[in-house]
Amino acid sequence: MIKLVGVEKTLGGQPVLRGVDLDIPAGKLTTIIGGSGGGKSVLLKHVIGLMQPDRGEVWVDGIEISRLKGRALNDVRKKFAMLFQGAALFDSLTVFENVAFPLREKLRLAETEVARRVEEKLEQVGLSGMGHKFPAELSGGMKKRVGLARALVMEPEIILFDEPTTGLDPLMANTIHDLIVGMHRTFGFTAVMVSHEIPEIFLISDWVAMLKDGKIAAMAPSADFQKTTDPAIREFISVGSMASLKS
Amino acid sequence: MLIGLIARIGHGTLFVVQEMGRMLIFLVATFAWLFRPPFRPFQILKQLHFIGFKSTFVVVLTAAFTGMVLGLQGYYTLRKFGSEAVLGSVVALSLIRELGPVLASLMVTARAGSAMTAEIGIMRITEQIDALDTMAVNSLQYLISPKLVAGLIGVPLLVAIADVVGIYGGYLIGVNLLGGNSGSYWSSIESAVEWKDVYGGILKSISFGLIVSWVCCYKGYNTRLSAEGLGAATTEAVVLSSVLILVWDYFLTSVLL
Ligand SMILES: Nc1ncnc2c1ncn2[C@@H]1O[C@H](COP(=O)(O)OP(=O)(O)OP(=O)(O)O)[C@@H](O)[C@H]1O
Ligand SMILES: [Mg+2]
C-alpha cells in the first residue's frame, strides 16, 4: 500500500506540490489526472523515491521511504517498476537489451529465460522483431512501448505508468490499455497511472484522483468520479471527453 | 554598495566551498561502490577502449609534433653552447617529466572528457540515470566507477606512448634532419634520465587521469536539466579539468623536485 501524507515540494523556486494527501489502494489501478505542468510526474517520482519531499511523508508497505538511502532504498525499489514519461531508454543498448536489463540486473535469470520473457513482452507491445534496433532508430510511440515492455517484464508488485499512451495512435492506445488491464488482472500488481486519456481511463481504472493546484482535489472510484458535482473537475473531464470525441 | 559587494564575495566563496565538498563526496562514493559487487570488468574494458585506445591517435599526433619542435628548438639553442650532443636528454627529460603527462591529459580531456560529460549529461536529462536508480542499479557504480578506473589506467598508458613517440620525434628532427649524432642522442638519454624522473611522470599521469574522469563525470552527473545546462556542463568540465591539471602539475613538480 502506498500513502502520501502532506507532501510538499518546491522546484526551481516554484511550489509544485502543496500538501498532497493520497492513499493508493493495493492491487488496484489508480489513475491520476490533472493539468499539464501540474506536478503529476513529480508526484510519481516521490512515490519511488527519486525525489524527496521538502515536507511530508511517503509510505510504501509500512515503510517511510522519503528519508531512506542506499541499500534500504534499493530494497524498497525492488518492488517497483516505472515507465517514464520520456521512456528513458538506455541509448547505448538495443531494444532487446533495454527490456532484458532489469531481468539481468535484478533477477539474474538464465539467458534463455531472459530471451523468452523479452520476446514475449516485445510481442505484446507490438514490437516483435525490433529487438536489434537502437532507441535512436525508433519513433516516440515505439520508444514508449519499449519502456512499457521494460516496466512490465519484471512483473513487480507496484508499477508506475507516466502517460503510457501519449504519442500513440488511438488503435495502439487501445491495445496498450488492454495490455495494462490484462496484465493487471493476471498479476494483481498495484498500478498508478498518470494519463490524459479521458474518458477511456474511467473504463479501465478502479480509482481516479485529480491533482489540482498542488493538491489532490478529488479521489473516488472511477464510476463515482464521473458523477462529481465539483464544477472545476466537471469542466476538466468534460472538455477531455469532448476533445477525444472530436479526434 | 560595499555590503552588496561583500555579500557577493561571500556567496561566491560559499558556493565554491560547497561545490568542492560535493565533488569530494562524489569521488569517495564512486570509489566505495567500486569495491562492492557486482563487479563490472566488461564495463571497465569498454571505457578503457573509449578513453584510452580511441585517444591514441590524437595523443600520438600531439606527442610527435611536440617532440619534433623540442628537437628543433633544442638543437638551435644547444648549438650556441656547442652542446648538441645532449639534445636527447633535453627532449627526453622535458617529455617524461613535464610535457608528456600534461599534453596527453589535456588531449584526453578535450577528446574523451568532454564526450564523457556530454554522455552522462544526456543520460541525466533524459532520465536514464533515474531509470537505473529505479531498477535498483546504483548509477554511480554502473556508470561512473568504470570511467574512473579507465581514466586511472588509460592516461598513464597514453602518457607512456606519448613519451616514446615524442623522443622519436626529437630524434627525427635533431638527428635525421639536422644531422646530429645518433649515438650521443641515445647515450645522453641513457645517462640523464633517472628512475626518479620516470616515477614522477607516472605519478603525474595517474593523478591527471583521476582529475579528468572525476571532473568530467561529476559535471555530467550534475548537469542542469536543459540543453544550455548540458553545454555549460561540458565547457565547465573541460575548463576546470584543464586548469586543475596545470595547477596540480605545478604543485606536484614543486614537491617532487
Ligand atoms: N527536476 C526539476 N527541476 C525543476 N523543476 C522541475 C523539475 N521537474 C519538474 N519541474 C517543474 O515542476 C512542475 C511540474 O512538472 P511535472 O513534470 O510534474 O508536470 P506534469 O503534471 O507531469 O505535466 P505533464 O502532463 O505535461 O507531463 C513544472 O513546472 C516543472 O517545470
Ligand atoms: Mg508529466
Side-chain angles (χ1 to χ4, degrees):
Chain A
M1 212 233 345
I2 302 166
K3 191 179 163 89
L4 279 73
V5 186
V7 170
E8 294 178 24
K9 183 73 176 178
T10 299
L11 283 166
Q14 201 69 9
V16 178
L17 303 181
R18 307 166 181 237
V20 169
D21 294 302
L22 184 59
D23 246 313
I24 294 167
K28 298 274 188 260
L29 202 171
T30 305
T31 299
I32 298 169
I33 58 173
S36 186
K40 303 179 298 298
S41 299
V42 169
L43 179 63
L44 281 194
K45 286 180 187 171
H46 278 80
V47 172
I48 198 169
L50 282 174
M51 286 186 176
Q52 281 74 38
D54 298 333
R55 218 162 298 133
E57 295 163 1
V58 180
W59 293 83
V60 176
D61 287 342
I63 303 173
E64 211 279 300
I65 67 157
S66 64
R67 310 278 173 268
L68 289 186
K69 286 209 172 72
R71 193 158 301 167
L73 184 56
N74 261 359
D75 285 341
V76 173
R77 280 182 180 156
K78 285 190 178 142
K79 300 178 187 184
F80 282 91
M82 176 163 180
L83 166 65
F84 285 82
Q85 189 167 358
L89 303 180
F90 303 124
D91 39 34
S92 59
L93 303 181
T94 63
V95 165
F96 181 94
E97 288 167 332
N98 262 286
V99 181
F101 191 89
L103 295 178
R104 288 173 175 162
E105 288 295 331
K106 257 196 203 172
L107 300 188
R108 319 204 152 271
L109 297 177
E111 273 307 300
T112 49
E113 176 67 8
V114 169
R116 194 187 64 72
R117 285 212 204 175
V118 171
E119 294 299 345
E120 180 192 59
K121 277 291 161 301
L122 284 180
E123 192 181 331
Q124 285 174 342
V125 297
L127 288 175
S128 52
M130 294 289 195
H132 62 280
K133 296 219 176 203
F134 281 93
E137 303 168 313
L138 303 181
S139 75
M142 289 158 93
K143 283 184 201 161
K144 209 52 179 275
R145 285 182 278 153
V146 177
L148 184 66
R150 186 174 71 180
L152 291 173
V153 79
M154 286 291 299
E155 298 165 6
E157 292 172 42
I158 306 164
I159 310 188
L160 313 178
F161 303 95
D162 199 343
E163 304 194 9
T165 53
T166 306
L168 302 183
D169 63 75
L171 225 62
M172 186 50 77
N174 247 338
T175 312
I176 295 302
H177 280 152
D178 288 348
L179 176 64
I180 292 176
V181 171
M183 293 275 297
H184 180 247
R185 287 225 183 89
T186 318
F187 295 103
F189 52 77
T190 304
V192 187
M193 182 160 90
V194 168
S195 181
H196 292 297
E197 302 277 354
I198 296 168
E200 288 86 343
I201 53 139
F202 291 115
L203 301 174
I204 62 170
S205 316
D206 299 312
W207 288 74
V208 177
M210 177 154 167
L211 185 67
K212 190 164 177 294
D213 302 326
K215 288 187 174 153
I216 297 297
M219 170 150 175
S222 162
D224 302 347
F225 197 96
Q226 285 172 282
K227 295 186 207 124
T228 182
T229 50
D230 185 317
I233 297 173
R234 279 239 63 87
E235 188 189 22
F236 190 83
I237 55 180
S238 59
V239 171
S241 311
M242 296 276 287
S244 82
L245 277 179
K246 273 186 210 149
S247 65
Chain B
M1 175 50 197
L2 186 65
I3 291 182
L5 188 71
I6 294 172
R8 232 177 305 154
I9 293 174
H11 262 296
T13 317
L14 272 182
F15 180 78
V16 170
V17 173
Q18 278 177 348
E19 183 80 351
M20 273 162 39
R22 278 193 291 262
M23 284 185 70
L24 202 64
I25 292 171
F26 180 81
L27 182 66
V28 171
T30 309
F31 258 109
W33 277 106
L34 200 55
F35 299 103
R36 277 183 234 175
F39 302 107
R40 301 179 191 275
F42 180 71
Q43 288 289 337
I44 296 180
L45 277 183
K46 211 167 129 186
Q47 293 305 323
L48 205 53
H49 175 82
F50 177 73
I51 296 174
F53 179 75
K54 286 192 162 176
S55 306
T56 317
F57 180 71
V58 279
V59 168
V60 164
L61 201 69
T62 317
F65 278 97
T66 308
M68 281 156 65
V69 88
L70 280 175
L72 205 58
Q73 295 276 21
Y75 189 84
Y76 279 108
T77 314
L78 290 170
R79 207 171 53 173
K80 291 186 180 163
F81 310 100
S83 35
E84 305 97 298
V86 296
L87 178 65
S89 66
V90 170
V91 173
L93 283 179
S94 320
L95 280 167
I96 293 172
R97 295 180 60 100
E98 206 48 62
L99 293 176
V102 171
L103 289 181
S105 332
L106 290 180
M107 293 319 285
V108 171
T109 304
R111 203 206 67 78
S114 56
M116 266 194 298
T117 308
E119 180 198 335
I120 300 172
I122 285 175
M123 293 189 73
R124 166 64 73 197
I125 292 174
T126 56
E127 298 179 320
Q128 293 176 50
I129 293 184
D130 288 338
L132 275 177
D133 285 329
T134 61
M135 291 181 216
V137 173
N138 186 282
S139 51
L140 285 181
Q141 185 183 35
Y142 184 79
L143 282 179
I144 313 294
S145 299
K147 291 188 163 62
L148 210 63
V149 177
L152 280 173
I153 301 173
V155 172
L157 292 177
L158 286 171
V159 169
I161 295 172
D163 288 350
V164 172
V165 170
I167 289 170
Y168 272 103
Y171 181 86
L172 190 73
I173 299 302
V175 177
N176 289 356
L177 193 71
L178 301 173
N181 185 296
S182 162
S184 61
Y185 187 87
W186 294 120
S187 67
S188 76
I189 293 180
E190 215 176 308
S191 59
V193 177
E194 295 171 40
W195 167 239
K196 192 181 87 175
D197 304 317
V198 178
Y199 167 80
I202 294 175
L203 203 64
K204 278 186 182 179
S205 47
I206 291 177
S207 50
F208 294 166
L210 181 69
I211 290 175
V212 175
S213 36
W214 174 25
V215 171
C216 294
C217 288
Y218 175 83
K219 288 290 177 188
Y221 197 80
N222 293 289
T223 304
R224 273 171 292 122
L225 305 180
S226 64
E228 302 103 82
L230 184 63
T234 316
T235 312
E236 282 167 25
V238 171
V239 171
L240 183 62
S241 108
S242 309
V243 169
L244 273 183
I245 285 171
L246 295 172
V247 172
W248 184 242
D249 180 50
Y250 177 80
F251 178 78
L252 262 190
T253 310
S254 66
V255 170
L256 288 171
L257 270 180

